[in-house]
Amino acid sequence: MSYAVKNLNEGDRELIAFRIGDQEFCVNIMSVREIRGWTPATAMPHSPAYMLGVINLRGAVLPIIDLAARLGMKPADPTARHVIIVAQVRRKVVGLLVDAVSDILTVTDETVQPTPEISSELERQFARGILAIDKRMICLIELESLFPETESEAA
Amino acid sequence: MDMNEIKEIFFQECEEQLAELESGLLKLNDGDRDPETVNAVFRAVHSIKGGAGAFGLDDLVAFAHVFETTLDCVRSNKLEPTQDVLKVMLKSADVLADLTNAARDGGSVDESRSRSLVKELEALANGELPSPSALAEAPAPKGAAKPVAKAVPAAAAPTVKPTDDSGFQPVPFSFDDFGGEGGADSGMPAYEVIFKPRYELYSKGNDATLLLRDLSRLGEMTIYCNTDDLPGLEELDPEGAYFFWNVTIKTDKGEDAIRTVFEFAEWDCELTVKPVEEARADATSNDELPMVPVPFDLSILDESGATEEVSAANARAEETAAAVAAAETASNVTQMASAAARVEKKESAAAAAAAASAAAQNNAAAGAGQTIRVDLDRVDRLINLVGELVINQAMLSQSVIENDTTGTSSINMGLEELQQLTREIQDSVMAIRAQPVKPVFQRMSRIVREIADMTGKSIRLITEGENTEVDKTVIDKLAEPLTHMIRNAVDHGIETPEKRAAAGKNTEGTVRLTAKHRSGRILIELADDGAGINREKVRQKAIDNDLIPADSNLSDEEIDNLIFLPGFSTADKISDISGRGVGMDVVKRSIQALGGRINITSKPGHGSVFTMSLPLTLAVLDGMVVTVAGQTLVVPLTAIVETLQPEAAAIHSFGANHRLISIRNSFCPLVDVGRILNFRATQANPVEGVALLVESEGGGQRALMVDAIQGQRQVVIKSLEANYTHVPGIAAATILGDGRVALILDVDAVVGASRGQSLKAEMSLAAVG
């Protein structure tokens, strides 16, 4: 990936855009490890509703999170067409279940508009800004905010 | 490589030297009078001193020097290594280890202890035999206390110069071997060999390093490479001969043997061989400035492929300090090997067998030196990958079987071969992590010494099977419970010498520590010949602490095992019990955490035996694969006492929500695993399932209800915490043959939860993510 990064100008960053339902979101490409298809997960006892369970990622146990449910949207009903984005969040690796990956975007900081004033605490908690590209609206998500530090402390 | 890395290597080597030192001293203690053992001990201390000097660790150098001086007296037969002498030396080895640790990790050492030992060592070196009373009271009188650094006697002033501020003192110690007291006393004539190859030597295809290696086989040698003639890079002829070597060798083979080594190269080099005294006389008469030699790393002699120029240039470029340490170690190994060979040749028939075995051991030790250090993380990664390979291979086989109706033999044969290969790879990778239990056992001998000293008892620790190999993670976790048990054995198990004498026993108590492999597990046995468990007292204590009813009728074995009960050790007057019982519940718990079992058998008046059975690795676990509410779970086999199919008549309701199952007239609570893990909302009908009778660490039994048993299997343990979080009721995860993750049940947590401790309360915090 480094060769691609080299061509970027100062302040540019690359994002991976994906779709959940009729909405588009994106995350920093540097935290994405790989993208793979959905495989049935093993359910975890006492887990929150958005926690789909764990799968085997080449010998490591990878927790899978239904990103739709985590963002407070209608929980996904995973099928073989769903996609898992394997991402590094702090020192842990998690899988995010999304409908489809749509794009790789190269943007500058100026492209990112601040999150509009909305009342919902949940949306404001994870959204880091909004991108307007080709009349599409893409919400930039900060993965760290999806998994608060307290989790690692509890572990 | 920066200084810290070099220092780290030095400390790692120190550990090896310390182990060597201790095992050598223990051998001497057992009556081994092989000069090579004494030499090995001496060299260990000498190497530590050498490296410590290079890093400016003055305390360590000072102590090692005094220690070395005393050891030298033993080496030159001026001091008889009696038990009393060895006692001092073993303690000194402990202090040396403490000083090394302190130098590495910061922290301090018990100075009064090292001070008093310095005095004892000096006394020994001066030919004063230790009085038993002096040994008993460890700290020296205050008035006589001197700082360690200054306690070095002036007469034996070290050839070491104090390191300067830069910390760079290239060759601090090796001068000892140039015929200082150290060299002259070894009993073998020393020679100085100057070997200066000419250009022709290399052009004829000779390799200087090979010649030097042959030379090293003749005896102990110290070697320096003189690089003064090395021109700058622009003038360097890549085929030129710029280095010469200055070797001091101690050998009984004579001058001719040395010349024979260089026979073939005679015309292509300048060779001077002289006895050291002569060489020295020459040097002084010529009044030449002493050469400043660059230490030559003997280890490169083992790399046949390396060219002399490259190696020597490397040796020069590398930080000199590292070379000192490396050369010391490397020469030790070579010396050991050559010494072993010597022993083999000269021994007479009577001693031949013993010598041969000793030589074989020494050779084995030299062979064991052929190791590399690998970061444990890398090995773990490899193990993970191999585990994945095994699973993938199984998946591949399965899908071929499912899809391939014709069954072409080439594919099947290929798969079979793949299967065999993966299994071999898995075994080999697991073997990488396997290590002998020796280091742990050696630590135990130190603990025995310390406790015996403290309690005024005389104890002999016998270790057997210390080369038995176990996974590193198991070894690491073994030390703590073992320390605990050894303490107990020495403190409570073995009687005072007076009592032993009164009972007609040898006043010296024996503790025997054994390790052996048995049916895929390691068996560690700790036996003492003490008084055994005083069952009446143990029983009374258990009754006093409300652990058992006063009228209970227990078998001897059951009474012995009471000491493992939690609460047994919370008593205030521990030493009242003449048997054992200090924190044994903690020991049992840590053994269980390792997936092991512990048992005790005791014979009043004859001692007790603790037997631990442990898995060879923590990466793999024997499990019972079960299904619960459509989920596949693995229950550790060590927890399961028995499995049974409940009959309707055996199930009894108890209150609103509880059910008990009667097993041989006792009632045991039923725990629905699916319910407790929240996999289903209501309790399943027990009659349709299978009950696993488990024993938790609390000692209580529970019948865990599962839907069905699929079978027993060895599973590779995978961490849940690495990417997720701790899940109450779940110990870890594993990957089954179909590639799916299965959870491993935490039996203790589930049993705890069935007592009313909620699993969910813990979870609420963890579930924030």
Side-chain angles (χ1 to χ4, degrees), chain B residues 449-613:
Chain B
R449 279 200 296 279
E450 284 178 355
I451 309 278
D453 252 18
M454 263 154 55
T455 53
K457 291 172 187 171
S458 163
I459 311 252
R460 183 177 176 78
L461 177 75
I462 301 171
T463 53
E464 282 168 19
E466 50 185 20
N467 287 324
T468 314
E469 290 193 334
V470 201
D471 192 281
K472 175 139 175 51
T473 47
V474 178
I475 291 184
D476 290 348
K477 292 186 178 162
L478 195 60
E480 196 204 317
L482 214 50
T483 307
H484 222 103
M485 288 164 63
I486 292 254
R487 281 214 176 109
N488 274 346
V490 177
D491 193 11
H492 306 293
I494 290 182
E495 319 90 320
T496 55
E498 300 81 53
K499 270 194 190 165
R500 290 184 68 90
K505 289 187 192 175
N506 188 343
T507 48
E508 187 184 56
T510 309
V511 176
R512 187 181 294 267
L513 191 56
T514 321
K516 57 189 164 201
H517 282 149
R518 181 173 296 167
S519 60
R521 292 174 79 82
I522 182 173
L523 217 62
I524 294 182
E525 225 171 64
L526 177 69
D528 67 55
D529 63 347
I533 285 183
N534 185 333
R535 297 206 171 104
E536 204 31 61
K537 277 193 181 169
V538 168
R539 193 184 131 85
Q540 193 52 48
K541 184 145 198 85
I543 293 170
D544 294 349
N545 286 351
D546 283 337
L547 293 169
I548 52 167
D551 55 352
S552 59
N553 184 15
L554 298 178
S555 70
D556 287 350
E557 205 191 326
E558 282 171 315
I559 295 177
D560 291 347
N561 279 294
L562 283 176
I563 61 165
F564 290 118
L565 287 187
F568 196 87
S569 63
T570 51
D572 32 36
K573 281 191 281 177
I574 284 154
S575 42
D576 271 356
I577 305 161
S578 59
R580 317 272 179 98
V582 183
M584 287 311 286
D585 60 321
V586 181
V587 170
K588 186 172 188 180
R589 206 173 310 149
S590 37
I591 298 283
Q592 279 180 339
L594 276 170
R597 292 181 292 265
I598 182 166
N599 247 313
I600 178 173
T601 49
S602 182
K603 229 176 167 182
H606 290 92
S608 325
V609 182
F610 284 87
T611 313
M612 281 167 280
S613 158

Side-chain angles (χ1 to χ4, degrees), chain A residues 42 45-46 50 56 59 92-93, chain B residues 388 677 718 723-724 741 763 769:
Chain A
T42 301
H46 307 295
Y50 57 78
N56 163 27
K92 298 190 175 185
V93 180
Chain B
E388 184 64 11
L677 292 181
K718 301 282 176 185
N723 287 324
Y724 186 47
V741 179
M763 194 61 201

Side-chain angles (χ1 to χ4, degrees), chain B residues 75-379:
Chain B
R75 196 166 71 154
S76 54
N77 294 326
K78 276 191 262 173
L79 181 65
E80 178 69 19
T82 57
Q83 299 269 328
D84 286 338
V85 170
L86 282 162
K87 227 172 193 171
V88 177
M89 298 210 158
L90 280 162
K91 278 200 256 177
S92 304
D94 294 345
V95 168
L96 199 62
D98 288 346
L99 283 166
T100 315
N101 287 341
R104 179 195 346 222
D105 308 325
S108 60
V109 288
D110 184 356
E111 275 194 35
S112 65
R113 189 166 175 215
S114 51
R115 242 178 267 142
S116 74
L117 273 174
V118 164
K119 287 183 78 71
E120 282 181 43
L121 284 170
E122 280 170 6
L124 287 178
N126 294 335
E128 298 164 29
L129 286 175
S131 64
S133 63
L135 281 170
E137 42 139 1
K142 272 181 192 156
K146 274 189 286 180
V148 183
K150 286 177 189 158
V152 180
T159 25
V160 193
K161 292 173 191 82
T163 49
D164 59 24
D165 285 340
S166 69
F168 190 77
Q169 175 74 19
V171 196
F173 298 111
S174 307
F175 288 115
D176 281 7
D177 292 333
F178 270 105
E181 326 112 279
D185 286 342
S186 77
M188 277 194 267
Y191 298 92
E192 189 178 86
V193 180
I194 298 171
F195 168 51
K196 191 167 189 175
R198 294 197 197 97
Y199 170 75
E200 292 81 14
L201 181 94
Y202 298 114
S203 66
K204 283 181 187 170
N206 272 319
D207 190 341
T209 51
L210 291 178
L211 292 168
L212 289 168
R213 189 175 65 193
D214 287 349
L215 184 62
S216 74
R217 291 191 178 126
L218 292 179
E220 254 181 68
M221 68 181 214
T222 320
I223 177 165
Y224 295 99
C225 176
N226 188 308
T227 57
D228 288 351
D229 295 343
L230 189 71
L233 197 58
E234 60 280 355
E235 293 164 34
L236 186 96
D237 171 7
E239 291 181 355
Y242 298 111
F243 304 131
F244 68 93
W245 285 271
N246 193 324
V247 181
T248 308
I249 182 159
K250 274 182 257 172
T251 176
D252 50 4
K253 301 270 193 319
E255 215 175 301
D256 287 342
I258 296 173
R259 291 194 184 277
T260 313
V261 170
F262 296 98
E263 211 169 13
F264 295 110
E266 207 177 340
W267 306 108
D268 303 321
C269 69
E270 289 168 36
L271 184 71
T272 332
V273 182
K274 278 181 200 161
V276 159
E277 291 76 18
E278 224 178 283
R280 187 162 294 187
D282 287 358
T284 35
S285 67
N286 291 346
D287 212 10
E288 273 172 7
L289 278 174
M291 181 179 61
V292 182
V294 174
F296 180 73
D297 182 353
L298 267 177
S299 64
I300 68 156
L301 299 186
D302 299 334
E303 299 170 33
S304 48
T307 68
E308 183 260 336
E309 282 92 347
V310 171
S311 314
N314 279 346
R316 187 181 193 166
E318 227 171 337
E319 303 248 10
T320 320
V324 172
E328 292 275 0
T329 330
S331 60
N332 283 348
V333 172
T334 2
Q335 285 155 10
M336 220 192 295
S338 64
R342 235 182 297 140
V343 169
E344 221 160 7
K345 277 178 208 151
K346 72 178 176 200
E347 287 300 319
S348 62
S357 78
Q361 267 176 5
N362 279 347
N363 278 335
Q370 295 267 342
T371 54
I372 53 164
R373 286 178 219 284
V374 184
D375 203 13
L376 204 58
D377 285 349
R378 293 191 192 177
V379 180

Side-chain angles (χ1 to χ4, degrees), chain B residues 604-627:
Chain B
H606 290 92
S608 325
V609 182
F610 284 87
T611 313
M612 281 167 280
S613 158
L614 294 160
L616 289 180
T617 169
L618 287 188
V620 178
L621 166 140
D622 275 312
M624 183 87 85
V625 183
V626 299
T627 22

